[in-house]
Amino acid sequence: MSSPKVLVQILITGTRILGKAFYEAGRQAVKNAKHQPQGVTGGDAAGVGAAMSSSPTDQLTRQYRMTLDEANLILNVKREESLEQILKNYEHLFKTNSPPPPPEKPMRGKASQPTHSHYLQSKVFRARERIEAERKLQEPSAPPADAQTSPPPSEVPGGGKS
């Protein structure tokens, strides 16, 4: 066999193999795109769509579009952390992702400006809102004003029977 003929056959065979591989990869990608696991709705990574019951926690999850676990992860706190620690982490993350103040004097050349992200800032804000809403839900509600009446006269010292 001549050298150019062998090279052409190798090239054609390699192209055929690559073509089949790309074709199969494309078919698998289409299958993966069409497949939706059971219980997952839309682009729901946080489990917000799974919160379908009428429990107050699920209602908060749907309202804030964020689970309590996700909020705790964003603010880097544990569930039992104090509100002061949560607010401290919130303030730090909020300020870190806020835009820098406009410069007083225009600078020449390339000055490195700190980066900021409105998206991350909004996620931090929503996480704080979600945790605060959960805390309010868990607080024992105060008794009504009319329930704080004075005790009956028989229980008041000196006010009962003589």
Side-chain angles (χ1 to χ4, degrees), residues 85-160:
Q85 181 64 36
I86 292 169
L87 291 177
K88 181 181 170 190
N89 287 9
Y90 163 75
E91 289 293 330
H92 170 72
L93 291 170
F94 195 83
K95 285 178 184 174
T96 301
N97 291 302
S98 63
E104 294 176 12
K105 295 180 182 177
M107 291 188 240
R108 294 185 177 220
K110 287 189 175 182
S112 64
Q113 292 185 357
T115 59
H116 64 279
S117 170
H118 179 72
Y119 172 76
L120 290 178
Q121 196 178 30
S122 67
K123 282 299 238 186
V124 168
F125 182 76
R126 296 288 172 227
R128 189 204 73 193
E129 280 186 333
R130 175 65 171 94
I131 291 173
E132 286 177 345
E134 188 75 24
R135 295 270 171 117
K136 285 181 185 175
L137 183 70
Q138 291 176 351
E139 285 180 2
S141 57
D146 58 86
Q148 296 178 355
T149 58
S150 60
S154 61
E155 294 178 14
V156 177

Side-chain angles (χ1 to χ4, degrees), residues 1-15:
M1 257 187 169
S2 66
S3 174
K5 188 175 183 180
V6 172
L7 289 176
V8 169
Q9 284 181 337
I10 290 173
L11 184 66
I12 290 174
T13 305
T15 304

Side-chain angles (χ1 to χ4, degrees), residues 29-98:
V30 168
K31 251 188 197 179
N32 290 346
K34 288 181 180 179
H35 176 71
Q36 186 173 12
Q38 187 176 15
V40 176
T41 56
D44 182 28
V48 175
M52 294 298 182
S53 73
S54 61
S55 74
T57 301
D58 282 350
Q59 289 175 356
L60 287 176
T61 299
R62 284 192 307 273
Q63 178 183 353
Y64 291 100
R65 304 288 303 155
M66 181 181 296
T67 63
L68 185 59
D69 290 335
E70 184 182 5
N72 287 328
L73 284 172
I74 289 170
L75 292 179
N76 194 25
V77 293
K78 294 182 173 66
R79 280 184 179 234
E80 58 274 354
E81 292 274 351
S82 67
L83 193 57
E84 291 79 28
Q85 181 64 36
I86 292 169
L87 291 177
K88 181 181 170 190
N89 287 9
Y90 163 75
E91 289 293 330
H92 170 72
L93 291 170
F94 195 83
K95 285 178 184 174
T96 301
N97 291 302
S98 63

